[in-house]
Amino acid sequence: MTLATAGGTAVVQAAGTDAWAALRQRLAAWFGRGDAEREAGELVRLDNTASELAAAGAGGAEGPGQAERILIRQEAMWQARLESLLESLGDDERHRAAEELRALLASHADSGVSAGAGGLAAGGDVHIKADSGSIAAAVIHGGAHISPPPPPAPSQG
């Protein structure tokens, strides 16, 4: 059940991100279990989920809290689908499928952005701008000091 919960969460979190295409394809193949027609059906379901989440995120959900309810519903639906497939398998195949799903979710999590101590990591664009004599930086190692510019040199003439 924990694995299915993680899978439902992964689907909802990945939809609309750079990670979506890879997760979508791998998860559909996992559900298909070698059956191309079943895999194609899962791709349609995943695309429908992504569309519904995108519409909710873009203000397409009606009423306060509706977007959150859509997210929760989609997450629960994918959790139930994952649990159902795992429960439908025999013991050996269930164990193998669970290991495959665990590896799939781990590789999805590993594809995230990270940085070491003192570093900066971003999964998208980063815009850094300084205004009014300030300093702007993604990461500053060491100190930073702002002082007024030196006065202009006396003109020679």
Side-chain angles (χ1 to χ4, degrees):
M1 183 158 175
T2 302
L3 188 58
T5 300
T9 300
V11 168
V12 169
Q13 289 178 346
T17 70
D18 292 342
W20 177 245
L23 179 66
R24 172 188 172 272
Q25 192 62 48
R26 291 188 65 204
L27 195 57
W30 182 84
F31 269 106
R33 319 247 11 105
D35 181 333
E37 189 173 318
R38 198 161 67 189
E39 183 175 333
E42 293 303 325
L43 287 170
V44 169
R45 284 183 189 88
L46 287 160
D47 289 343
N48 289 341
T49 291
S51 295
E52 192 169 331
L53 290 169
E62 297 172 15
Q66 185 64 16
E68 182 68 22
R69 284 191 287 277
I70 290 170
L71 186 139
I72 291 167
R73 183 171 44 93
Q74 287 295 329
E75 192 170 329
M77 180 193 73
W78 284 104
Q79 177 184 344
R81 289 189 57 70
L82 291 161
E83 285 176 5
S84 178
L85 186 126
L86 287 168
E87 289 171 357
S88 74
L89 303 173
D91 288 341
D92 289 341
E93 193 176 359
R94 181 182 313 119
H95 178 71
R96 190 171 38 257
E99 288 304 315
E100 291 169 4
L101 181 57
R102 192 171 285 112
L104 185 158
L105 295 175
S107 71
H108 169 68
D110 290 344
S111 68
V113 177
S114 65
L120 171 74
D125 294 341
V126 175
H127 300 278
I128 301 170
K129 179 181 176 182
D131 283 329
S132 304
S134 62
I135 294 176
V139 176
I140 296 177
H141 296 283
H145 180 73
I146 299 176
S147 28
S155 63
Q156 304 221 356

